[in-house]
Amino acid sequence: MKDRNILDTVIEFEKQIEAMQQQFGAFKQFIALMMEEQQALQTENLHLRTRLEEVIAQQPAAEEKNNTTPDIGEGYDNLARLYYEGYHVCHVHFGSTRKDEDCLFCLAFLNKQNG
Ligand SMILES: [Zn+2]
């Protein structure tokens, strides 16, 4: 009777270890996913930074003083270009990649800027 109890305990313990192994596996997958996502975000961030510097470099230097009215047409061109390069320019997803899908928010926003 006592041996039976010990065997039950060992079997129960083994089940717990197996459950923990499964949880650990899921945890590992989660970590891998997070690392992948972080890598993608870093790459996207770098790309956006580069793009932003390009866009800033194209702005006329005279705009540092507020005595010129901002050129709406040029701002629109920059946003439209960003959009066609595959980035959201809408306030909902601004700066994230569109993954080759049109975004109604972006299109509505660009339409409003242009009209
Ligand atoms: Zn959008």
Side-chain angles (χ1 to χ4, degrees):
M1 189 64 196
K2 204 177 177 189
D3 283 351
R4 184 77 230 163
N5 280 342
I6 289 173
L7 187 62
D8 282 350
T9 306
V10 169
I11 287 170
E12 190 53 41
F13 188 48
E14 187 183 26
K15 276 185 196 159
Q16 285 176 4
I17 288 175
E18 277 171 6
M20 268 169 70
Q21 242 170 357
Q22 276 181 355
Q23 283 178 354
F24 194 75
F27 187 54
K28 251 184 1 188
Q29 273 185 332
F30 176 71
I31 298 277
L33 247 159
M34 294 303 284
M35 285 169 75
E36 226 172 88
E37 197 167 329
Q38 194 206 8
Q39 184 64 49
L41 284 172
Q42 273 178 348
T43 306
E44 186 174 311
N45 195 6
L46 186 73
H47 193 112
L48 283 171
R49 225 177 262 274
T50 310
R51 260 327 263 132
L52 182 64
E53 274 163 22
E54 282 171 14
V55 170
I56 287 171
Q58 285 166 5
Q59 301 292 314
E63 273 189 3
E64 279 177 23
K65 310 236 167 179
N66 260 353
N67 53 13
T68 53
T69 50
D71 188 339
I72 290 165
E74 188 168 332
Y76 169 81
D77 285 348
N78 285 334
L79 288 173
R81 194 163 47 219
L82 265 178
Y83 180 77
Y84 288 109
E85 283 177 9
Y87 294 98
H88 283 280
V89 295
C90 61
H91 64 284
V92 186
H93 306 292
F94 188 83
S96 58
T97 51
R98 283 193 294 118
K99 299 178 175 122
D100 292 330
E101 290 167 5
D102 272 331
C103 171
L104 290 177
F105 296 117
C106 284
L107 292 174
F109 176 70
L110 287 173
N111 260 337
K112 209 157 61 179
Q113 298 294 304
N114 204 19

